[in-house]
């Protein structure tokens, strides 16, 4: 789209956002057009630093040319981003395009400081680095992604969208652990919560599905992917969430234990002789569904249950029992619940999990209609019968769209979508 500038020449209204999600060994990217919120291209670079690196790039314009694949060692994140940029350029969607308004970065931990999407300055980046001790697995990779993208397009607004931000509205009594206050504060130990962009997006979409505004409804969101978390959202604001200082707390997950008596860790050290690092790996990587039955994919677990596998059945029951406890607890926290909403890989796809989690909760006004629950769809939908007092819904999450939307809203607010000839330098934007 073009509009006349004051000088009379045509300036491009930049309305595209590149979303980057940099993990320790992978980079996922999506280019979105914010005019119609469509995807122009999506891609993934995985196994960065190994000989078997792979880039998969799918352009979604020009009649579906199909996925292109590159194999062979991609040494580091810088090489990964450069390769992705080349693929985008080959489709006429290069990072130098005047239509690109901003790059939105998923950043896992924003601590207490970042409650909103934030334009990345040197000072903001330094603050994200200061949070590494509380997010040692995630923030370093996010930081590398940011540095690389800034080097490629130093003039372009780059925005950090934080997984923790949506949860910063939690009241102090929900966010604090009941441990010595001085010790907690000295080490920034408190409950931060994660998956925030998903909880924000899904709770808003659920309100739309109910034909109400986000301010009018109280919802419980169950984000059940490989990582899993629940949140209680009152009038659009998060008041409770199940993940804590790290993503380890809360629900049973694919490979994480979720809630556990902290004394188990002392026991593993003192009695089982495990090191702290070994316990970390045990609880984060070898627990949850995989620890209980050897599989973390819900499809495989259901298949085994159909064949009469008892370990898989027990793992499923433990998973569902924890979900029920959270639904009950968050119903009490909210007082009035308008909807329980399932999302992410398991929540969107596993009818048996949804059915089992809601079974027996009629006293809470909750019920699932078997016919509606069996429908497979990529659309937000209700699965509760008409008579149910509380709606039960499935709402597919879209973290990339939420990151793009938040990024674009911020650069628009700052008047940064007209390229070139921006009015003022970005400076220290701190929000
Ligand atoms: P991540 O946390 O990695 O983003 P996802 O939200 O993509 O995870 O969820 C991945 C998980 O979703 C898988 O591990 C699997 O357990 C589950 N899943 C995906 N598809 C299905 C399906 N059709 N039926 C049941 N579970 C599914």
């Amino acid at each position: 789209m073009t509009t006349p500038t004051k000088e009379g020449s045509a300036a491009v209204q930049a309305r595209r956002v590149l979303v980057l999600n940099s993990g320790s060994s992978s980079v996922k990217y999506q280019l979105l057009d914010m005019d119609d919120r469509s995807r122009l291209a999506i891609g993934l670079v995985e196994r960065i630093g190994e000989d078997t690196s792979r880039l998969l790039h799918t352009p979604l314009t020009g009649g579906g040319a199909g996925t292109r694949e590159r194999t062979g060692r991609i040494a580091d994140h810088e090489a990964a981003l450069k390769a992705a940029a080349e693929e985008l350029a080959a489709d006429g969607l290069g990072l130098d395009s005047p239509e690109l308004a901003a790059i939105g970065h998923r950043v896992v931990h924003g601590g207490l400081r970042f409650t909103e999407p934030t334009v990345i300055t040197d000072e903001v980046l330094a603050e994200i680095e200061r949070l590494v001790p509380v997010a040692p697995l995630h923030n370093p990779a996010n930081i590398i992604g940011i540095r690389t993208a800034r080097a490629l397009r130093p003039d372009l607004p780059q925005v950090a969208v934080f997984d923790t931000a949506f949860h910063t509205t939690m009241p102090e009594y929900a966010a604090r652990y009941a441990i010595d206050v001085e010790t907690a504060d000295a080490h920034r130990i408190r409950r931060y919560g994660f998956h925030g962009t998903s909880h924000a997006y899904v709770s808003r979409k659920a309100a739309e599905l109910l034909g109400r505004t986000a301010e009018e409804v109280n919802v419980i969101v169950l984000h059940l992917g490989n990582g899993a978390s629940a949140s209680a959202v009152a009038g659009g604001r998060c008041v409770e969430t199940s993940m804590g200082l790290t993503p380890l707390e809360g629900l049973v997950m694919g490979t994480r234990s979720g809630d556990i008596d902290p004394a188990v860790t002392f026991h593993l050290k003192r009695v089982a002789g495990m090191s702290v690092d070994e316990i970390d790996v045990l609880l984060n990587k070898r627990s949850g569904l995989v620890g209980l039955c050897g599989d973390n994919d819900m499809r495989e677990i259901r298949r085994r249950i159909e064949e009469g596998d008892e370990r898989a059945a027990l793992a499923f029951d433990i998973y569902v029992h924890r979900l029920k406890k959270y639904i009950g607890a968050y119903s009490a926290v909210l007082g009035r619940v308008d909807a329980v909403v399932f999302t992410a890989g398991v929540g969107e796809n596993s009818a048996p999990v949804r059915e089992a989690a809601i079974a027996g909760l009629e006293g809470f006004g909750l019920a699932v209609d078997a016919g509606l629950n069996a429908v497979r769809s990529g659309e937000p939908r209700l699965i509760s019968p008409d008579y149910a007092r509380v709606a039960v819904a499935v709402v597919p999450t879209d973290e990339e769209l939420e990151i793009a939307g938040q990024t674009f809203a911020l650069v628009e607010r700052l008047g940064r979508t007209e390229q070139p000839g921006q009015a003022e330098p970005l400076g220290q934007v701190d929000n």
Side-chain angles (χ1 to χ4, degrees):
M1 193 199 294
T2 60
T3 52
T5 62
K6 274 183 231 138
E7 294 76 32
S9 62
V12 175
Q13 282 298 122
R15 303 191 63 83
R16 292 179 181 168
V17 175
L18 179 68
V19 175
L20 285 183
N21 183 352
S22 306
S24 55
S25 65
S26 70
V27 174
K28 293 182 201 149
Y29 60 93
Q30 294 197 1
L31 182 67
L32 291 98
D33 185 333
M34 299 317 290
D35 269 336
D36 58 2
R37 313 186 121 216
S38 64
R39 260 101 178 148
L40 301 172
I42 59 175
L44 160 73
V45 188
E46 56 187 0
R47 299 194 287 272
I48 294 171
E50 295 178 32
D51 290 337
T52 56
S53 311
R54 183 164 78 139
L55 182 152
L56 294 173
H57 176 90
T58 310
L60 299 169
T61 53
T67 299
R68 299 198 293 271
E69 182 175 355
R70 279 195 200 189
T71 50
R73 183 177 165 80
I74 294 178
D76 51 25
H77 283 71
E78 191 179 339
L81 254 182
K82 283 192 173 143
E86 282 167 22
E87 293 296 334
L88 286 163
D91 298 322
L93 302 168
L95 294 195
D96 53 354
S97 162
E99 287 176 86
L100 188 61
I103 299 180
H105 295 266
R106 175 190 183 213
V107 179
V108 169
H109 215 307
L112 286 182
R113 158 83 189 275
F114 298 110
T115 60
E116 300 276 341
T118 303
V119 173
I120 299 166
T121 60
D122 292 344
E123 193 267 331
V124 165
L125 192 54
E127 184 61 27
I128 296 170
E129 280 180 323
R130 276 196 286 277
L131 288 162
V132 166
V134 284
L137 296 179
H138 299 285
N139 274 27
N142 302 155
I143 290 163
I144 295 171
I146 291 170
R147 283 193 193 292
T148 311
R150 285 181 99 202
L152 286 176
R153 275 299 304 268
D155 56 316
L156 196 68
Q158 312 238 353
V159 174
V161 178
F162 299 92
D163 262 26
T164 46
F166 185 60
H167 305 301
T168 55
T169 52
M170 269 197 289
E172 193 64 7
Y173 55 75
R176 263 201 189 273
Y177 291 110
I179 62 172
D180 172 68
V181 171
E182 278 76 35
T183 307
D185 288 352
H187 300 286
R188 291 183 286 189
I189 296 170
R190 58 187 286 120
R191 309 188 56 251
Y192 294 97
F194 299 90
H195 291 148
T197 49
S198 177
H199 287 282
Y201 176 85
V202 169
S203 55
R204 223 177 41 242
K205 282 271 162 195
E208 263 175 44
L209 184 66
L210 298 178
R212 318 259 292 275
T213 66
E215 291 71 33
E216 290 170 338
V217 297
N218 290 349
V219 298
I220 297 172
V221 177
L222 302 169
H223 176 111
L224 312 178
N226 204 19
S229 63
S231 69
V233 183
R237 289 165 69 85
C238 176
V239 295
E240 240 309 356
T241 195
S242 60
M243 285 177 166
L245 173 72
T246 76
L248 184 54
E249 191 179 343
L251 300 174
V252 176
M253 311 182 208
T255 66
R256 298 189 193 117
S257 63
D259 295 335
I260 198 166
D261 180 345
V264 169
T265 58
F266 318 149
H267 190 84
L268 288 168
K269 177 134 178 53
R270 293 186 188 130
V271 180
M274 290 175 73
S275 70
V276 170
D277 286 346
E278 284 169 344
I279 298 169
D280 191 335
V281 170
L282 175 77
L283 296 181
N284 274 296
K285 300 244 175 0
R286 291 175 40 221
S287 295
L289 292 170
V290 89
L292 288 166
C293 74
D295 272 309
N296 63 336
D297 192 312
M298 192 52 78
R299 286 165 288 202
E300 187 57 18
I301 291 170
R302 288 304 308 172
R303 196 192 57 71
R304 285 172 54 186
I305 294 172
E306 307 276 300
E307 290 176 353
D309 185 318
E310 285 177 13
R311 269 182 74 189
L314 181 60
F316 183 85
D317 289 347
I318 294 169
Y319 183 93
V320 166
H321 177 68
R322 186 81 53 87
L323 270 176
K324 268 191 212 290
K325 288 210 291 190
Y326 271 89
I327 295 170
Y330 287 7
S331 299
V333 165
L334 288 170
R336 186 201 84 228
V337 182
D338 297 294
V340 173
V341 192
F342 289 89
T343 193
V346 176
E348 290 166 31
N349 295 299
S350 180
V353 165
R354 296 191 298 253
E355 183 193 332
I358 300 297
L361 300 184
E362 294 78 11
F364 289 77
L366 287 161
V368 162
D369 177 286
L372 293 175
N373 193 32
V375 173
R376 297 194 61 83
S377 157
E379 294 299 315
R381 57 200 185 273
L382 292 174
I383 58 167
S384 44
D386 290 343
Y387 65 79
R389 190 157 42 82
V390 180
V392 181
V394 180
V395 174
T397 192
D398 195 337
E399 287 163 282
E400 288 77 15
L401 178 59
E402 180 68 16
I403 292 170
Q406 291 193 16
T407 298
F408 191 66
L410 178 57
V411 293
E412 253 193 336
R413 221 164 57 229
L414 297 172
R416 288 277 308 196
T417 56
E418 198 165 279
Q419 317 257 340
Q422 291 91 2
E424 59 208 59
L426 267 176
Q428 300 280 311
V429 179
D430 181 10
N431 50 356

